[in-house]
Amino acid sequence: LGTFDVVALENGGQAEDASNLFYSPATNTIQPGRSRKMDDGWETRRRRDQGNDWIRYRLVAQSQIRAVEIDTAYLKGNSAGWASVSVKDGEDGEWWEILPRTRLQPDTDHRFVLDAPAVGTHARIDIFPDGGISRLRLFGSLTEEGAQRLTARHQELGG
């Protein structure tokens, strides 16, 4: 399959959970295309504590992630100030950071190429302290195991 967005909704990715759904669903961040307006992304309410907001995703299948894209389009006064991205491999895997806490700019498409591919089945974006993002893209390819599981799932569904 080559390199594609392994978290995109249109490819089979899912937003499993999020810390805050006050203004919009976390699924907005993996919708096709770029955001067309502010509420087309994920926006959180202001925090009154020392925590941060996050979204947890299930990838299409086990993947090797090579690049991360975080878009804050249309979020000018309320975009996240910083973000980090972590992955884990399997339901019981340990989370490990693939993009350390990084400063974000409002209304900007941020692209980061990883030093080494990161293998995982799940991803998590943490934003600090709150705010929002428009889109998250994780570019990579399926591992051999991921391709086999995806093929098996497709056949189970009658493909």
Side-chain angles (χ1 to χ4, degrees):
L1 293 172
T3 300
F4 66 105
D5 185 359
V6 299
V7 73
L9 190 62
E10 64 188 339
N11 294 330
Q14 297 177 325
E16 289 189 321
D17 198 8
S19 62
N20 188 309
L21 301 173
F22 188 73
Y23 291 114
S24 54
T27 302
N28 282 0
T29 61
I30 56 175
Q31 293 283 351
R34 292 200 72 204
S35 177
R36 294 179 309 276
K37 54 188 178 169
M38 188 171 65
D39 63 352
D40 197 24
W42 178 61
E43 185 182 6
T44 67
R45 67 176 175 241
R46 293 292 176 210
R47 295 188 70 90
R48 303 289 186 228
D49 59 20
Q50 297 301 313
N52 69 284
D53 287 316
W54 52 266
I55 303 173
R56 186 181 70 237
Y57 304 92
R58 176 182 299 277
L59 306 181
V60 173
Q62 186 186 58
S63 305
Q64 284 189 338
I65 301 164
R66 293 183 186 84
V68 174
E69 183 177 301
I70 302 170
D71 192 356
T72 58
Y74 295 98
L75 297 166
K76 295 177 181 169
N78 56 344
S79 72
W82 295 268
S84 68
V85 177
S86 302
V87 298
K88 73 174 181 172
D89 193 24
E91 293 290 336
D92 299 325
E94 295 289 321
W95 289 103
W96 57 284
E97 202 170 61
I98 62 170
L99 180 68
R101 188 169 167 164
T102 302
R103 182 85 171 122
L104 300 178
Q105 297 297 317
D107 197 24
T108 303
D109 198 7
H110 307 80
R111 294 184 176 122
F112 309 96
V113 176
L114 303 181
D115 293 333
V119 175
T121 57
H122 295 76
R124 175 180 160 127
I125 186 165
D126 285 85
I127 61 171
F128 303 92
D130 54 24
I133 61 170
S134 298
R135 298 290 187 267
L136 173 69
R137 305 287 184 226
L138 301 176
F139 295 103
S141 57
L142 297 179
T143 63
E144 189 174 320
E145 178 184 329
Q148 289 171 354
R149 288 188 182 200
L150 189 60
T151 299
R153 189 167 72 206
H154 179 70
Q155 289 172 345
E156 285 175 14
L157 295 173

